[in-house]
């Protein structure tokens, strides 16, 4: 026999929104991670961690950013590194799960609130669809990480004279960091020591790309890989935009850095191609680097700013405004240039509500980056190109740096902490709030238009 749920509990369930859940969850885990990293056992003997550095590291790990103020391999003990790894896994898995569920809600395939209310009334879970969705994300995540960990472990063990235990830990740590697009590395120079190693560079790149595609795309490719005509508009946009941006980023880095004596210049031409591709992949929000970012040309930084700002796909471990948002704006521009009455993408018409959502996300993200860049310039007195790179990297949860992060004042580091947090949960929660709170009005006001351009 079931009993009705009290009105107060029903009201509480109605107030549970995805936005509140994700923000509160991230705040709670960030606090726990900061506390664990402050423990003496989290650092190697002779090292100490203050509150700001612990908070910065915990936020960067949970938001899968990769910006660091302390050397991950030499400052943190095995326990500290394990805490960072756990935060990376929780951050990547949590965002991927949340964004996937919200995507299903928007598409009308699930109604989480109604299912929760019904389950509460019936005193049963009643969330089979949701459970299977989460289990699918867990299985795919662990499978990709396990395969990559095995490849990296074998490579480190047989080619770099590491003991089995060290090779295994390096393999596991970097596989989790790569698939979750975190960019944390136990090597002081990130992946610069492996700039000419195609096995490590390609293995990391594949995992990063998969993590950046998002679970809905991976799931559809797994089920309908041989029938592209059945792919959704979302999958087509993500694959198309990812390929274009990866190729464009590779060509840009190669063209601008080919003769730079401090980056690609000394490398053999084949290693230059590998390094250019690897760095293009990282700029899409992963954060590893196989060449010295601080020695790059300012023009390259600017091009990477654009790539970082765009980021990866929704419902994945990447950050930024997302490739779908960028693609929607691009198709809107094309439609306007052609004088079309509607925006058509791959044979389907795009909803006008999506136009407004994409424009709102981009404008708010750009405003946040501009204001943060101005504030950081005021606090530090550093040049625009370096500060802009740092703020975009923090907002887009990339983790690449021109080398100024550790030397920033406390106020500057706290600003980056805020940017990382907003950049990780902000675009997802804002976009979902716009989509889920859409309502129809029963009237329309008279039309009028200003002069544009």
């Amino acid at each position: 026999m079931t009993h009705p749920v009290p009105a107060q509990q029903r009201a509480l369930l109605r107030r549970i929104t995805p936005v509140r859940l994700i923000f509160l969850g991230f705040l709670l885990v960030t606090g726990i991670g900061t506390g664990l990293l402050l423990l003496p056992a989290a650092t190697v003997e002779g090292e100490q961690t203050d509150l700001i550095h612990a908070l910065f590291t915990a936020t960067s790990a949970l938001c899968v950013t990769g910006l660091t103020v302390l050397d991950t391999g030499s400052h943190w003990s095995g326990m500290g590194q394990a805490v960072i790894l756990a935060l990376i896994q929780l951050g990547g898995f949590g965002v991927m799960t949340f964004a996937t569920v919200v995507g299903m809600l928007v598409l009308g395939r699930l109604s989480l609130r109604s299912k929760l209310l019904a389950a509460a009334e019936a005193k049963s879970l009643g969330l089979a669809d949701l459970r299977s969705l989460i289990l699918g994300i867990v299985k795919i995540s662990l499978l990709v990480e396990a395969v990559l960990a095995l490849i990296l472990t074998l490579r480190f063990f047989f080619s770099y004279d590491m003991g089995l235990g060290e090779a295994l830990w390096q393999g596991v740590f970097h596989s989790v960091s790569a698939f979750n697009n975190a960019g944390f590395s136990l090597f002081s120079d990130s992946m610069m020591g492996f700039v000419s190693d195609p096995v490590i560079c390609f293995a990391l790149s594949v995992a990063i790309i998969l993590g950046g595609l998002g679970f809905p795309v991976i799931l559809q490719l797994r089920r309908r890989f041989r029938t592209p005509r059945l792919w959704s508009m979302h999958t087509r946009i993500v694959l198309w935009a990812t390929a274009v941006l990866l190729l464009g980023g590779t060509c840009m880095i190669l063209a601008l850095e080919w003769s730079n004596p401090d980056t690609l210049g000394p490398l053999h031409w084949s290693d230059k191609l590998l390094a250019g591709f690897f760095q293009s992949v990282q700029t899409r929000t992963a954060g590893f680097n196989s060449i010295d970012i601080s020695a790059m040309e300012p023009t390259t930084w600017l091009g990477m700013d654009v790539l970082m700002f765009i980021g990866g796909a929704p419902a994945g471990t990447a950050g930024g405004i997302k490739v779908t948002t960028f693609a929607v704006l691009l198709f809107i521009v094309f439609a306007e240039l052609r004088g079309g009455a509607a925006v058509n993408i791959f044979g389907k018409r795009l909803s006008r509500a999506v136009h407004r959502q994409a424009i709102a996300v981009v404008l708010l993200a750009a405003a946040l980056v501009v204001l943060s860049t101005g504030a950081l310039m005021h606090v530090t007195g550093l040049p625009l190109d370096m500060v802009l790179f740092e703020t975009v990297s923090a907002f887009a949860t990339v983790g690449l740096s021109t080398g100024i992060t550790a030397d920033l004042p406390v106020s500057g580091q706290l600003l980056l902490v805020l940017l990382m947090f907003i950049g990780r949960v902000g675009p997802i929660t804002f976009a979902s709030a716009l989509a889920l709170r859409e309502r129809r009005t029963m009237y329309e006001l008279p039309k009028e238009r200003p002069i544009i351009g």
Side-chain angles (χ1 to χ4, degrees):
M1 179 177 179
T2 61
H3 301 281
V5 177
Q8 290 183 346
Q9 293 186 21
R10 291 201 302 270
L12 178 62
L13 281 172
R14 291 190 179 96
R15 288 197 299 268
I16 296 176
T17 64
V19 176
R20 291 175 182 173
L21 283 176
I22 194 71
F23 268 104
L24 291 176
F26 264 70
L27 283 175
L28 176 62
V29 178
T30 300
I32 295 173
T34 301
L36 291 175
L37 292 178
L38 283 172
L39 296 175
T43 57
V44 298
E45 188 176 354
E47 297 286 348
Q48 292 182 340
T49 308
D50 59 32
L51 176 60
I52 299 300
H53 288 167
L55 174 64
F56 190 100
T57 303
T59 305
S60 182
L62 185 63
C63 296
V64 292
T65 303
L67 284 175
T68 59
V69 288
L70 299 167
D71 185 78
T72 308
S74 62
H75 179 85
W76 303 106
S77 65
M79 174 196 164
Q81 293 172 8
V83 170
I84 292 173
L85 191 67
L87 290 172
I88 292 172
Q89 188 73 286
L90 286 173
F93 170 72
V95 169
M96 181 179 283
T97 303
F98 171 76
T100 301
V101 171
V102 168
M104 297 300 185
L105 285 167
V106 172
L107 294 174
R109 293 178 58 184
L110 289 174
S111 179
L112 181 58
R113 182 175 297 174
S114 62
K115 284 179 179 290
L116 286 172
L117 289 170
E121 292 287 356
K123 291 291 184 181
S124 62
L125 290 175
L127 294 173
D129 292 338
L130 189 58
R131 284 201 303 271
S132 63
L133 188 68
I134 294 175
L135 286 175
I137 294 174
V138 171
K139 290 177 182 179
I140 290 178
S141 300
L142 294 180
L143 176 62
V144 174
E145 291 172 356
V147 172
L148 177 61
L150 177 61
I151 294 173
L152 294 179
T153 298
L154 294 176
R155 188 63 172 178
F156 288 141
F157 179 72
F158 287 108
S159 301
Y160 293 95
D161 297 324
M162 293 185 186
L164 182 59
E166 181 184 3
L168 180 60
W169 178 238
Q170 294 280 4
V172 170
F173 189 96
H174 287 92
S175 68
V176 174
S177 184
F179 179 72
N180 290 285
N181 281 218
F184 272 88
S185 175
L186 297 180
F187 303 108
S188 298
D189 59 354
S190 190
M191 295 291 119
M192 290 178 64
F194 310 98
V195 64
S196 301
D197 191 324
V199 175
I200 291 180
C201 288
F202 277 123
L204 290 174
S205 296
V206 169
I208 290 164
I209 292 171
L210 287 175
L213 289 178
F215 178 76
V217 174
I218 295 175
L219 183 62
Q220 188 162 76
L221 290 178
R222 188 182 70 172
R223 293 177 175 175
R224 300 175 177 175
F225 182 77
R226 296 183 179 180
T227 54
R229 61 185 177 81
L230 299 179
W231 292 353
S232 66
M233 177 193 291
H234 174 82
T235 296
R236 292 168 182 263
I237 290 177
V238 168
L239 295 178
W240 169 81
T242 298
V244 170
L245 292 173
L246 285 177
L247 178 61
T250 302
C251 293
M252 178 202 69
I253 293 172
L254 289 175
L256 297 175
E257 298 294 326
W258 188 271
S259 301
N260 188 338
D262 297 318
T263 55
L264 296 181
L267 301 177
H268 186 266
W269 69 267
S270 59
D271 295 334
K272 290 182 181 182
L273 296 179
L274 176 62
F277 170 75
F278 183 79
Q279 208 54 62
S280 177
V281 173
Q282 310 314 308
T283 309
R284 301 291 313 293
T285 77
F288 294 117
N289 62 284
S290 61
I291 54 179
D292 188 359
I293 301 298
S294 64
M296 283 181 161
E297 299 290 342
T299 310
T300 311
W301 287 344
L302 181 59
M304 294 172 71
D305 289 340
V306 175
L307 292 176
M308 291 190 294
F309 187 75
I310 295 172
T317 54
I321 62 170
K322 304 299 186 290
V323 293
T324 47
T325 306
F326 169 74
V328 164
L329 292 181
L330 202 60
F331 279 107
I332 290 175
V333 172
F334 289 160
E336 196 65 29
L337 292 176
R338 293 194 305 265
V343 178
N344 300 317
I345 303 178
F346 301 119
K348 294 184 179 180
R349 182 172 58 86
L350 189 68
S351 169
R352 290 191 180 276
V354 179
H355 301 192
R356 300 191 299 270
Q357 293 162 15
I359 293 171
V361 168
V362 171
L363 289 180
L364 287 175
L368 179 63
V369 169
V370 170
L371 292 174
S372 301
T373 300
L376 199 57
M377 286 179 65
H378 177 74
V379 169
T380 63
L382 292 170
L384 172 62
D385 51 5
M386 299 180 74
V387 174
L388 178 62
F389 191 94
E390 216 75 10
T391 54
V392 174
S393 180
F395 166 76
T397 67
V398 178
L400 294 175
S401 174
T402 57
I404 65 174
T405 304
D407 298 325
L408 292 176
V410 172
S411 57
Q413 292 181 357
L414 288 176
L415 177 61
L416 292 185
V417 167
L418 183 62
L419 271 177
M420 288 187 289
F421 188 85
I422 295 176
R424 177 75 283 183
V425 302
I428 301 172
T429 54
F430 179 70
S432 63
L434 289 177
L436 295 176
R437 293 179 63 183
E438 183 180 350
R439 59 182 182 180
R440 296 181 179 179
T441 57
M442 303 304 293
Y443 64 92
E444 289 187 355
L445 297 174
K447 289 184 178 181
E448 189 173 350
R449 56 181 300 173
I451 300 174
I452 301 296

